[in-house]
Amino acid sequence: MSHSWLQRKRKADLIDLAQKARLPDADGYLKDDLVQILENHLNSNEGIFAKLPEFRDYYGRNGSPIKREQSSPAEPLTATKTTRRRTLNKEVSPESTPITTSTPAITPEIRSVVARTPKPRAVSRRVSEIVSEVEPQAKAVSRRVSGVLSEATPKAVSRRVSEVFNQVDIPASPAQLAEVADQSFQEIQTKAGELWDRTRIDELKEFIRENASSVATIQTIILLVEAVGLQWNTLDTTPLFATPPALSSYSNSQDVRGPNLYALLSAEWWSPATLWSLTSWVLPLMFSYFFNLTLRTNTSRKSSDRQYPADPLIFNIARAILSYSAYRGTVNMAFAPSAWGPFSEYAVARVGNNVPGGYYGLQIGSLVGILVSLYDAALKK
């Protein structure tokens, strides 16, 4: 149990046991050497340390692990006989009695182990000497390298580069940088595509394109431009209410103006509006409905998509003829235009001068309609 009991101890516990066993420089040994020294020391001084409680487990309950020598048979024994019990008294010689106050003996084995073990102070002294020898050379090399770098690179540039490298986390290689950029681009493209799909702009675009790609839509746009321009120029405006104080600094007008709806009840508005309606779409629509050339095609294959309820070509030809007959007198401002049917010269002049483009604007609209109708008919052949 002796050696294994010491071997299971930690080095700190072994140092404590060595200090209690009065071993000098116990903290300077390795664990195995300390176990060997402590074991030899305890075996040599069993009589001194066997009574201590710290070493009770080492020596065991029944005595030392080393076989004790048998007592000499020549030792005198005296027997004292009494009436109650028999007691054997052993005469103890003064030589066999251990002296607890004596200094523990250090064997030659302990001295040899101590001599072989290097001292920590000597090792640290040697290390410090080596470091002191190498340190000047290392400082000289570092100064030389720093001088070369300072000559090759300007300080401002190196400082700026170090600041940029501290602020920006650059990938380790160009391949990683390209991969990060590609991943970021893919994420942005995916999110942009999702946002675009949510707006349904593609569906709206296709709807507008499908419905605007027809002769009827183009003709309707031309008529709307003429009607809005005519009403904008003929329908007078009137003050509706005063400008709020919060908005007065942003506007030069003191009143908020709007269309004069009372003019809709007067003949000054109805007469030009009726004249323009008759010459621009009512009479041309009637002519194109009855003279519809799309009903008779020269092709053997007849289809409903090649036919119109009203012929767009006849519609625009009739519109151009009616505009010429009604508004040709408005071109020359020196002469007053003549009346057209039941409509007075005032109504003719009001329409011819207030429609966008005047008389020439009406003729250009008719010409555009004729060209679109011919192009559509050519595509359907």
Side-chain angles (χ1 to χ4, degrees):
M1 177 181 176
S2 59
H3 184 77
S4 61
W5 184 78
L6 292 174
Q7 192 68 31
R8 287 195 300 268
K9 295 288 185 180
R10 295 181 301 176
K11 187 176 180 180
D13 298 335
L14 293 174
I15 292 174
D16 294 339
L17 293 175
Q19 291 177 356
K20 293 178 181 179
R22 303 187 187 95
L23 275 177
D25 297 332
D27 54 349
Y29 303 135
L30 300 176
K31 181 179 179 181
D32 295 337
D33 296 338
L34 184 59
V35 169
Q36 185 66 31
I37 294 171
L38 189 59
E39 182 179 2
N40 296 334
H41 185 64
L42 292 177
N43 292 337
S44 301
N45 300 277
E46 177 185 356
I48 299 174
F49 302 110
K51 297 179 181 181
L52 297 179
E54 291 83 358
F55 303 102
R56 187 173 300 168
D57 293 336
Y58 175 79
Y59 292 106
R61 297 177 61 184
N62 296 325
S64 171
I66 300 176
K67 186 176 181 180
R68 296 182 179 180
E69 297 180 355
Q70 298 292 333
S71 300
S72 175
E75 294 178 353
L77 296 175
T78 59
T80 303
K81 185 176 181 181
T82 60
T83 57
R84 292 184 180 181
R85 61 182 179 179
R86 179 180 295 177
T87 304
L88 295 178
N89 294 331
K90 180 180 178 181
E91 293 181 1
V92 181
S93 62
E95 297 177 356
S96 62
T97 305
I99 300 174
T100 58
T101 59
S102 61
T103 304
I106 300 176
T107 61
E109 296 177 355
I110 297 175
R111 291 191 180 93
S112 62
V113 174
V114 171
R116 290 195 307 269
T117 304
K119 300 298 181 180
R121 295 180 180 177
V123 174
S124 61
R125 189 181 303 109
R126 180 57 181 166
V127 171
S128 62
E129 292 176 357
I130 295 173
V131 170
S132 62
E133 292 176 359
V134 176
E135 186 175 3
Q137 300 177 1
K139 290 182 178 179
V141 173
S142 63
R143 284 196 298 269
R144 187 177 301 173
V145 172
S146 61
V148 172
L149 292 178
S150 62
E151 293 176 358
T153 305
K155 294 182 179 180
V157 176
S158 62
R159 190 182 302 110
R160 180 58 181 168
V161 171
S162 62
E163 292 176 358
V164 171
F165 271 85
N166 292 331
Q167 295 176 0
V168 181
D169 187 11
I170 301 177
S173 63
Q176 293 181 355
L177 181 61
E179 184 178 358
V180 170
D182 184 65
Q183 291 178 358
S184 302
F185 178 75
Q186 293 294 336
E187 292 179 359
I188 294 174
Q189 187 177 8
T190 302
K191 292 181 179 180
E194 293 177 356
L195 182 61
W196 182 265
D197 293 338
R198 291 178 182 177
T199 57
R200 298 183 180 274
I201 295 179
D202 289 335
E203 298 179 3
L204 180 61
K205 180 184 66 176
E206 293 298 329
F207 175 78
I208 295 175
R209 181 182 180 185
E210 182 179 358
N211 291 275
S213 301
S214 63
V215 179
T217 304
I218 296 175
Q219 192 66 59
T220 303
I221 293 174
I222 294 173
L223 293 175
L224 286 176
V225 170
E226 293 179 0
V228 171
L230 178 63
Q231 301 306 319
W232 182 268
N233 294 324
T234 58
L235 193 61
D236 297 332
T237 59
T238 182
L240 299 178
F241 53 88
T243 304
L247 301 177
S248 60
S249 59
Y250 300 98
S251 177
N252 296 327
S253 177
Q254 300 297 326
D255 299 323
V256 176
R257 305 180 68 86
N260 186 11
L261 300 179
Y262 293 102
L264 299 177
L265 303 177
S266 62
E268 295 180 355
W269 182 85
W270 280 104
S271 178
T274 305
L275 176 61
W276 174 83
S277 299
L278 289 174
T279 57
S280 294
W281 64 274
V282 175
L283 294 178
L285 187 62
M286 293 176 60
F287 281 110
S288 62
Y289 178 78
F290 289 105
F291 300 95
N292 190 353
L293 300 181
T294 61
L295 297 178
R296 293 178 175 271
T297 58
N298 296 326
T299 59
S300 59
R301 180 183 176 184
K302 294 185 179 181
S303 177
S304 59
D305 59 349
R306 298 186 179 185
Q307 299 177 357
Y308 290 101
D311 192 343
L313 180 61
I314 300 300
F315 177 87
N316 286 282
I317 292 174
R319 187 168 177 270
I321 294 173
L322 291 173
S323 298
Y324 173 77
S325 64
Y327 311 115
R328 68 180 184 276
T330 59
V331 176
N332 191 355
M333 301 299 296
F335 300 97
S338 59
W340 190 79
F343 298 96
S344 63
E345 297 84 354
Y346 171 78
V348 173
R350 195 171 179 86
V351 173
N353 295 327
N354 292 317
V355 171
Y359 167 74
Y360 296 108
L362 294 172
Q363 294 297 338
I364 290 173
S366 301
L367 180 61
V368 171
I370 292 172
L371 295 177
V372 172
S373 302
L374 293 175
Y375 181 70
D376 180 68
L379 292 177
K380 291 183 177 181
K381 286 293 184 179

